[in-house]
Amino acid sequence: MEKPWLSAYPPGVPAVLDLDPTESVLDILDQAVARHGDRPAFSNLGRTLTYREFDVLQRRFATWLQGLPGVGPGDRVAIMLPNLLQYPVALFGTWRAGMVVVNVNPMYTAPELEHQLNDSGATVLVVLGQRAGVYAGIRERVGVRHVLVTEVGDLLGFPRGLLVNGVMRYGRRMPVHHVPGAARWPAVAGCDPDDFRQPAPPTGSDLACLQYTGGTTGRSRGAMLTHANLVANIRQINSWFAAERVDGQEIMVTPLPLYHVYALMCNCLCYVATGGHNVLITDPRNIKALIAELKRWPFTAITGVNTLYQALVEHPDLPGVDFSTLKIASAGGMAVMPATARRWMEITGHMILEGYGLSETSPVVTINPLTLKEWNGSIGLPVPNTVVVLRAEGVTDVPPGEAGEICVQGPQVMSGYWNDSAATASAMTEDGFLRTGDVAVMDEQGYFRIVDRMKDMIDVSGLKVYPNEVEAAITHHPAVIEAACIGVPDERTGEAVKLFVVVRPGETLASDAIRDYLRGRLAPYKIPRHVEFRDTLPKSNVGKILRRELREG
């Protein structure tokens, strides 16, 4: 199979990495503690933990887990926390105890939480006190045996319940809920790490994480990610940036939630592997507080999605940030709009480096090289040990320049969906490729460009309209902040294009002005028949625009 992308690889990045299939994520942490014990590992809301301090805390957590009756290696631990120091402590402590992490969005509704706890079979839940009420309402309908409630200040040295500056959604505005029989964080703090009894150490084939998909096509499913999957992706990503990274010296700003697979891998795990320092942002929607944190640190990397970068470039305080130490500003999760990328470059002097991945691939599949001279709108090149093909109907490979479904093969691809063999079989091709449901084109150099999700394509009289293309075109308009495009039923054409637009404060636009602007930029059948102006667009907790909610609303 031809791999045209190899010729465009950054200098020093190998086509194939020699991966150890027995290596676990715990091995990664232990190596970091041994090499970088006195260096900062995680900072949050004014407190910094060194690697050695962090190691003690995660071992305390593992000791607490071992003391729970009826809980043992292989059991699932649901972690329902925002970006607080407690999150990585619980994450690595769960793995230390030989158990499986189930990442849970702390903003889930009761039905969403009930589904995920029951589907995963979680026996332990770690939850923020301000969100414990969601669990309390369903506790009789799930199989969780032990609950640990923590508060924002538990590892910060603040009095309980104190509102911490910059934590808009997790402070006094949201009361702490009582869960009968639940333990509190001091129960973990009181554990002696010397009492920890190491079970059989996890190996690469052991399940590390149930990473639930977003549920855009129905109920979310748990992608089974093994230790080998996660370690492979750590090695793939870190080899890509090896020329820029200095072990023990990098500072990563982490505004995206760690329970999401993108930040879990690209921020937490990859930077632990190199002795890096993660600055955890608990509430990234408080842009003013986020920018204040950016001003505090000589940060070298930041991750985000288009909506976060857009909010940053719109804020008047961003030009006051010192970007002289920045090496990597990466983006994923959704397409970066050209106008956002251009404005970020104007303010910071750095490109947004776009990549691509999904929960089922740990997540990273492709990344743009740092050697790029300017933003190119692509999702980059496949990382080492990864093969990407574009197929029609999941069967026939399409040539360069033609659109096809992205199909992925590599050591980072999940072992399957938890308790769902039918969904696993449907997702995999006969020759071992994962069908992603995303449509892309590849150029002659091996760069891939996302066209759209297969399910989001709009059929106008048999002609395909890709919402990404329409959204990218309209966000060039100087009065438009963001936009989303969907298909709506139409008696004449089957479907018609509907565009939702958010206009900058103080600006006014009419529907006809939108259409006039797009004529000459898009083919006539792509021009939206319907335009609706909104103050905001629905977004996931990561900031991804939810077209599904627009279709349903």
Side-chain angles (χ1 to χ4, degrees), residues 247-495:
D247 279 12
Q249 301 295 321
E250 307 299 332
I251 301 177
M252 165 62 88
V253 176
T254 302
L256 298 183
L258 291 174
Y259 63 77
H260 190 276
V261 70
Y262 177 21
L264 173 68
M265 174 57 65
C266 295
N267 296 60
C268 181
L269 300 185
C270 282
Y271 277 75
V272 165
T274 59
H277 178 192
N278 261 271
V279 178
L280 306 182
I281 306 299
T282 307
D283 184 9
R285 299 191 186 194
N286 186 344
I287 298 298
K288 187 175 183 65
L290 169 56
I291 292 176
E293 282 294 291
L294 295 180
K295 291 180 177 179
R296 280 192 62 196
W297 304 96
F299 65 101
T300 60
I302 185 172
T303 57
V305 295
N306 183 79
T307 48
L308 178 65
Y309 284 116
Q310 179 64 36
L312 284 169
V313 299
E314 290 288 326
H315 200 281
D317 292 349
L318 187 67
V321 175
D322 180 1
F323 290 98
S324 62
T325 57
L326 181 62
K327 301 176 183 178
I328 302 167
S330 74
M334 62 184 297
V336 174
M337 295 294 104
T340 303
R342 182 181 65 250
R343 185 67 180 136
W344 176 266
M345 182 70 178
E346 290 171 354
I347 294 173
T348 72
H350 296 270
M351 280 192 306
I352 294 176
L353 205 67
E354 198 166 0
Y356 167 78
L358 55 163
S359 298
E360 291 87 341
T361 57
S362 301
V364 175
V365 174
T366 64
I367 315 176
N368 269 292
L370 280 168
T371 50
L372 277 182
K373 300 302 181 185
E374 59 184 11
W375 184 80
N376 63 4
S378 86
I379 56 170
L381 313 166
V383 293
N385 299 59
T386 303
V387 178
V388 175
V389 295
L390 303 181
R391 289 180 171 170
E393 306 299 328
V395 176
T396 306
D397 291 6
V398 301
E402 291 191 16
E405 181 184 8
I406 298 175
C407 299
V408 182
Q409 189 178 71
Q412 72 272 46
V413 175
M414 68 172 184
S415 57
Y417 290 113
W418 178 255
N419 288 336
D420 199 335
S421 57
T424 301
S426 176
M428 302 301 297
T429 66
E430 291 186 359
D431 56 346
F433 281 79
L434 173 74
R435 298 185 61 177
T436 68
D438 290 310
V439 181
V441 295
M442 183 186 74
D443 65 20
E444 297 291 344
Q445 289 185 295
Y447 282 88
F448 289 82
R449 287 172 175 78
I450 291 285
V451 178
D452 230 303
R453 291 286 294 170
M454 292 175 65
K455 66 178 182 61
D456 285 340
M457 285 191 297
I458 304 167
D459 191 329
V460 179
S461 299
L463 299 171
K464 301 299 183 185
V465 178
Y466 297 106
N468 278 349
E469 183 183 9
V470 181
E471 293 162 2
I474 193 58
T475 51
H476 277 294
H477 193 293
V480 173
I481 296 178
E482 58 186 6
C485 181
I486 65 170
V488 295
D490 186 272
E491 291 184 359
R492 184 171 60 86
T493 59
E495 281 190 302

Side-chain angles (χ1 to χ4, degrees), residues 80 104-120 131 133-139 141-142 212 218-220:
M80 189 175 173
V104 182
N105 183 339
M107 302 308 290
Y108 265 171
T109 62
E112 291 169 323
L113 179 60
E114 182 178 350
H115 164 69
Q116 191 161 327
L117 293 178
N118 280 332
D119 188 74
S120 66
R131 299 300 298 164
V134 180
Y135 168 74
I138 63 168
R139 60 191 297 264
R141 302 196 298 273
V142 298
Y212 277 75
R219 284 262 171 125
S220 60

Side-chain angles (χ1 to χ4, degrees), residues 479-482 501-509 533-535:
V480 173
I481 296 178
E482 58 186 6
V501 177
V502 177
V503 178
R504 297 182 189 281
E507 299 278 0
T508 58
L509 273 179
F533 294 94
R534 294 247 183 133
D535 293 332

Side-chain angles (χ1 to χ4, degrees), residues 36-47:
H36 307 288
D38 293 327
R39 299 202 62 81
F42 296 96
S43 290
N44 178 236
L45 298 169
R47 184 178 181 191

Side-chain angles (χ1 to χ4, degrees), residues 29-320:
L29 175 61
D30 290 344
Q31 293 160 15
V33 173
R35 294 197 306 265
H36 307 288
D38 293 327
R39 299 202 62 81
F42 296 96
S43 290
N44 178 236
L45 298 169
R47 184 178 181 191
T48 296
L49 297 174
T50 66
Y51 274 91
R52 190 165 289 111
E53 290 169 334
F54 174 73
D55 188 46
V56 171
L57 289 174
Q58 58 93 19
R59 289 175 186 272
R60 288 189 196 278
F61 188 87
T63 305
W64 176 79
L65 284 175
Q66 282 192 334
L68 299 177
V71 176
D75 282 350
R76 274 76 64 204
V77 177
I79 305 176
M80 189 175 173
L81 298 176
N83 285 4
L84 298 169
L85 294 174
Q86 294 93 309
Y87 176 87
V89 168
L91 177 80
F92 282 96
T94 297
W95 287 331
R96 181 73 60 188
M99 300 178 192
V100 179
V101 169
V102 181
N103 278 311
V104 182
N105 183 339
M107 302 308 290
Y108 265 171
T109 62
E112 291 169 323
L113 179 60
E114 182 178 350
H115 164 69
Q116 191 161 327
L117 293 178
N118 280 332
D119 188 74
S120 66
T123 57
V124 180
L125 171 66
V126 185
V127 61
L128 187 70
Q130 287 83 356
R131 299 300 298 164
V134 180
Y135 168 74
I138 63 168
R139 60 191 297 264
E140 302 297 332
R141 302 196 298 273
V142 298
V144 172
R145 299 176 191 168
H146 305 279
V147 178
L148 176 66
V149 176
T150 187
E151 296 180 31
V152 170
D154 275 338
L155 286 177
L156 302 177
F158 298 139
R160 284 188 169 278
L162 181 68
L163 174 62
V164 180
N165 183 37
V167 190
M168 302 292 288
R169 291 179 292 164
Y170 304 110
R172 191 172 293 153
R173 297 180 184 181
M174 300 176 65
V176 174
H177 289 269
H178 175 67
V179 178
R184 306 304 289 257
W185 194 265
V188 175
C191 290
D192 186 345
D194 291 336
D195 291 340
F196 177 69
R197 306 177 306 280
Q198 179 66 60
T203 66
S205 61
D206 288 327
L207 185 61
C209 189
L210 290 182
Q211 192 69 39
Y212 277 75
T213 62
T216 55
T217 57
R219 284 262 171 125
S220 60
R221 296 188 294 262
M224 295 190 291
L225 303 180
T226 65
H227 282 270
N229 290 148
L230 298 179
V231 171
N233 214 218
I234 291 168
R235 301 302 186 202
Q236 290 167 319
I237 297 165
N238 283 350
S239 72
W240 198 263
F241 296 113
E244 291 291 331
R245 279 185 176 149
V246 179
D247 279 12
Q249 301 295 321
E250 307 299 332
I251 301 177
M252 165 62 88
V253 176
T254 302
L256 298 183
L258 291 174
Y259 63 77
H260 190 276
V261 70
Y262 177 21
L264 173 68
M265 174 57 65
C266 295
N267 296 60
C268 181
L269 300 185
C270 282
Y271 277 75
V272 165
T274 59
H277 178 192
N278 261 271
V279 178
L280 306 182
I281 306 299
T282 307
D283 184 9
R285 299 191 186 194
N286 186 344
I287 298 298
K288 187 175 183 65
L290 169 56
I291 292 176
E293 282 294 291
L294 295 180
K295 291 180 177 179
R296 280 192 62 196
W297 304 96
F299 65 101
T300 60
I302 185 172
T303 57
V305 295
N306 183 79
T307 48
L308 178 65
Y309 284 116
Q310 179 64 36
L312 284 169
V313 299
E314 290 288 326
H315 200 281
D317 292 349
L318 187 67

Side-chain angles (χ1 to χ4, degrees), residues 521-541:
R521 292 174 169 84
L522 297 172
Y525 67 91
K526 300 177 184 179
I527 303 297
R529 183 170 299 173
H530 309 279
V531 178
E532 182 175 325
F533 294 94
R534 294 247 183 133
D535 293 332
T536 60
L537 296 177
K539 298 181 180 70
S540 71
N541 207 42

